[in-house]
Amino acid sequence: MYDTATKYKADIVTTNQFKIWNDGKTVELFRQNVPYGTVTEKTGIETLSDMLYGKTCYATCCCKLYKKDIFSDIRFPSYRMGEDSYTMYKCFLKAETVAHLYKPNYYYVQHEESAMHSDNYHKFYDYIELSDSFIQIVNKDYPQLFLPAVNRLIENNFWVYMKMRSDPKEYGTQLSHITENIKYYRKYALADKNVCTRTRLACLLSFFGMKVLNLVYDNFTN
């Protein structure tokens, strides 16, 4: 990754990764039909657009190598969850050149006791606040990223909704906000050809009410 950064004078280098479970199951994420070692160059905004659509790499701080100057005025926020994604968005907005190395150089081990596998869903609401905050930045300064940001926002809202829906009394306020977000942004997601089929289907089902969405989700994903 360092050699790639030097050769391409990249502000950030990203790379493929493996996802590994305790039982030994291993999956290479974002595997594409290109030879290992291939490098692509894009601007930071182009790469960020890909990330918001779930392409090339995740918006996490791992699997990446950065120039020190990228972080000169960027710090992690105090979110309990999703703070790395929010920080990555800012880093890629600042980067002029990003090189992606098609070679898995990072092993993402899944721990059952990690925050991502917790059943304390209050902290997952941070993803919603993060998405709301980033869409405001996009609306103000980066209109070309509006649709990609909407995709990430609405996917986060559906994801957190599915976690919180089992206890509407506990998460009533959050669920109300999430539902309003889905109602407002779903028209943009449906009009965007880059949004994946699963998300488009969820948006369509939401027009019939969240109970219908729940019914379809429970019958076809379990």
Side-chain angles (χ1 to χ4, degrees):
M1 292 176 75
Y2 177 78
D3 289 342
T4 300
T6 303
K7 180 178 179 179
Y8 292 90
K9 296 181 173 58
D11 298 303
I12 301 174
V13 176
T14 62
T15 187
N16 289 19
Q17 61 178 294
F18 287 115
K19 196 171 186 178
I20 303 176
W21 285 264
N22 292 334
D23 62 2
K25 178 184 175 183
T26 302
V27 175
E28 184 180 340
L29 303 179
F30 305 104
R31 180 73 177 106
Q32 298 188 32
N33 191 26
V34 296
Y36 278 162
T38 299
V39 176
T40 58
E41 290 181 87
K42 291 187 177 181
T43 67
I45 289 180
E46 288 171 337
T47 307
L48 178 53
S49 177
D50 286 345
M51 288 167 53
L52 291 167
Y53 281 123
K55 301 175 182 177
T56 309
C57 64
Y58 286 132
T60 56
C61 53
C62 60
C63 314
K64 301 170 182 68
L65 188 66
Y66 318 83
K67 274 190 177 179
K68 178 181 175 182
D69 292 346
I70 289 288
F71 281 95
S72 62
D73 57 352
I74 294 177
R75 295 294 181 270
F76 285 87
S78 58
Y79 293 102
R80 289 168 296 178
M81 298 288 287
E83 78 287 347
D84 53 346
S85 295
Y86 189 72
T87 304
M88 289 304 97
Y89 297 160
K90 290 189 171 183
C91 287
F92 280 84
L93 286 175
K94 190 175 176 182
E96 292 185 9
T97 302
V98 177
H100 180 74
L101 175 59
Y102 287 92
K103 182 180 178 181
N105 289 299
Y106 187 85
Y107 291 78
Y108 181 23
V109 180
Q110 304 299 290
H111 295 290
E112 292 183 2
E113 68 275 13
S114 71
M116 288 299 293
H117 296 94
S118 168
D119 58 2
N120 177 10
Y121 297 139
H122 278 291
K123 59 191 173 186
F124 285 94
Y125 190 66
D126 290 339
Y127 281 102
I128 308 305
E129 295 179 331
L130 163 69
S131 298
D132 289 346
S133 178
F134 183 63
I135 203 80
Q136 292 177 20
I137 294 173
V138 167
N139 281 333
K140 181 182 177 183
D141 298 316
Y142 303 96
Q144 69 272 45
L145 288 174
F146 177 72
L147 288 179
V150 165
N151 176 71
R152 176 56 55 210
L153 179 148
I154 207 158
E155 286 191 347
N156 282 345
N157 276 266
F158 278 124
W159 180 62
V160 176
Y161 174 84
M162 288 302 168
K163 291 183 175 294
M164 290 184 163
R165 68 189 169 119
S166 60
D167 195 344
K169 290 184 179 180
E170 176 73 15
Y171 305 115
T173 301
Q174 293 93 332
L175 286 169
S176 246
H177 179 205
I178 289 170
T179 302
E180 288 305 309
N181 266 353
I182 290 171
K183 288 180 178 178
Y184 181 80
Y185 287 105
R186 63 191 175 190
K187 60 182 179 290
Y188 298 108
L190 286 170
D192 183 1
K193 64 181 181 181
N194 292 307
V195 171
C196 72
T197 301
R198 180 189 60 195
T199 302
R200 292 169 66 85
L201 179 59
C203 289
L204 283 172
L205 289 170
S206 71
F207 279 99
F208 298 96
M210 301 306 280
K211 289 183 179 179
V212 173
L213 175 67
N214 293 340
L215 182 64
V216 174
Y217 182 88
D218 290 337
N219 279 278
F220 288 94
T221 61
N222 295 328

